[in-house]
Amino acid sequence: MTGGQAAGPIAILLPMTGPRSDLGQVLLQAAQLALQGDTGPSLDVLDTGGTPAGAAKATQAAVARGDRLILGPLTSSETASVAPIARGSGVPVLAFTNDASLSQPGVWPLGISPDQQIHRLVTAAQAQGKTQFAGLLPDSDFGRAMATALTKATAADGLSTPAIRMHPSGMAAITASARDLSDYANRRGPIDAKVKAARALGTPEGRREARELSKTPIPPPEFNVLLLADTGDALQEIAAILPYYDVDRSAVQIIGPALWADPSSGSGAVHGAWYAAPDSSTRSTLERDYAAKYGVAPPPLADLAYDAASVAKVILGPRGSDTAILTQPGGFVGTDGWFTLSPDGQVRRGLAVFRIERAGPEMIDPAPQSAGAPGL
């Protein structure tokens, strides 16, 4: 606990020391902003040092002090160490990681996860009549998380299992994976065989037939939605390779991560591609109040701490504690839009769908605002 603060009913577990202490301070400020001027709960600030062991120790301290809700910790590994201690003591956890694999009764990862993004994109694609999915993804933790999310989302909707290829880094590996995924050899092979046979006749008719056959359109790949997750040079390489293997961007919808909202991601290479993310207009109140108090714009992670503290204010208000409100079916409207906390620890979010245009991202499907709205 930081000096001068009395223990309150809400613990917030943050890296107040260590390499991520600057981020810990930002998250603390956002949580304090959500609670300022309120007669509700106070914060018991506990330092994790940014390590799983530090997070476990902080959780034990929170339980011993009688804190009734834990906000944080920041990372997946810290959350994994916190979960069994908090659950064993019946203290709910609103963690700041986006690792949905840590979801469990009483532990809700609030970060915007690959599962949430891909579920939204799969739903949007189906609304456009596109139901055949594939993935060309980097062989990394993030790429594998996106692959798992796509497999789960399509299975949940009763769709065919998506064809997925993971590629190592480098142009040669990307090229080989794209060729394999597109089944280019089998799509073009029969046409090439006919052209070769016609030329082998050695006659004017054969040469004329070969010319006509060479104009035959190559059949499309067996997918009409393609998930990518690369950024930077690798994304530009993929964008250049796809037409070479006759993946027609007018017929195949490219989808990808919310990271593409940032132009520095290289997303300009995939104009027309979609990604799912919060509607930034819902963030205006936090941006205004945070800048007024702290003199700078809030970074994206500040949203999680602000919303977690706002939820805490609802369930631990001046009239007493009611943690059952956490899983109310109507959910909550937060800085990043509507979200709901399921009893099993899953977090559902209302995300908007954006299309990448030369002038910048364009919202093409608004974020759902309630539990029963289309797009969830």
Side-chain angles (χ1 to χ4, degrees):
M1 183 173 68
T2 57
Q5 287 185 298
I10 308 173
I12 185 165
L13 277 52
L14 295 170
M16 302 309 297
T17 59
R20 294 181 172 175
S21 59
D22 55 340
L23 187 52
Q25 186 60 40
V26 165
L27 293 169
L28 176 58
Q29 289 175 339
Q32 290 171 330
L33 184 65
L35 297 173
Q36 73 174 359
D38 194 80
T39 57
S42 57
L43 285 174
D44 183 6
V45 185
L46 295 159
D47 182 18
T48 68
T51 69
K57 184 177 179 181
T59 305
Q60 291 165 344
V63 170
R65 293 172 180 178
D67 293 333
R68 290 174 284 170
L69 178 67
I70 292 174
L71 312 184
L74 176 60
T75 66
S76 174
S77 60
E78 290 175 286
T79 303
S81 72
V82 164
I85 302 169
R87 289 190 66 190
S89 302
V91 180
V93 177
L94 300 178
F96 301 146
T97 177
N98 71 344
D99 187 349
S101 71
L102 294 171
S103 301
Q104 53 195 287
V107 179
W108 292 273
L110 292 184
I112 298 173
S113 70
D115 284 17
Q116 294 162 354
Q117 296 174 47
I118 299 305
H119 170 75
R120 182 68 175 96
L121 291 168
V122 168
T123 301
Q126 289 182 84
Q128 299 294 320
K130 294 182 179 292
T131 59
Q132 299 166 295
F133 291 81
L136 179 60
L137 301 164
D139 191 7
S140 64
D141 288 345
F142 181 60
R144 287 185 288 274
M146 295 290 275
T148 299
L150 181 60
T151 301
K152 287 170 58 178
T154 50
D157 288 347
L159 302 175
S160 300
T161 302
I164 295 175
R165 300 292 183 275
M166 312 300 295
H167 68 80
S169 59
M171 185 67 171
I174 289 173
T175 299
S177 296
R179 180 184 176 91
D180 182 31
L181 178 65
S182 70
D183 197 26
Y184 183 74
N186 288 327
R187 291 162 54 216
R188 186 177 182 91
I191 297 173
D192 286 345
K194 291 178 181 178
V195 170
K196 184 177 180 180
R199 287 174 177 164
L201 296 174
T203 64
E205 292 78 9
R207 289 190 290 273
R208 184 167 54 253
E209 183 182 2
R211 287 194 297 271
E212 292 303 315
L213 284 168
S214 65
K215 300 176 185 177
T216 303
I218 296 173
E222 293 186 357
F223 54 84
N224 51 26
V225 185
L226 178 60
L227 172 64
L228 307 177
D230 281 283
T231 57
D233 291 343
L235 182 58
Q236 294 181 23
E237 290 168 358
I238 291 171
I241 284 294
L242 292 177
Y244 185 80
Y245 292 122
D246 287 281
V247 177
D248 183 355
R249 292 275 303 280
S250 67
V252 176
Q253 178 61 54
I254 304 296
I255 60 174
L259 292 171
W260 288 355
D262 185 347
S264 68
S265 68
S267 57
V270 285
H271 289 125
W274 297 352
Y275 65 87
D279 178 353
S280 60
S281 66
T282 63
R283 201 171 184 256
S284 57
T285 298
L286 172 61
E287 291 176 338
R288 180 198 65 208
D289 294 348
Y290 192 98
K293 187 170 181 66
Y294 303 117
V296 294
L301 277 178
D303 302 18
L304 304 179
Y306 185 90
D307 286 350
S310 298
V311 169
K313 186 166 60 174
V314 172
I315 69 171
L316 301 175
R319 296 182 181 180
S321 171
D322 186 3
T323 55
I325 295 174
L326 280 169
T327 55
Q328 62 184 359
F332 304 90
V333 178
T335 302
D336 292 324
W338 176 86
F339 65 97
T340 187
L341 310 176
S342 301
D344 63 358
Q346 296 292 324
V347 180
R348 296 172 62 204
R349 283 191 176 275
L351 301 176
V353 177
F354 296 85
R355 183 173 57 222
I356 297 169
E357 302 288 2
R358 296 188 186 280
E362 177 185 336
M363 186 189 299
I364 60 171
D365 196 2
Q369 298 296 321
S370 65
L376 288 171

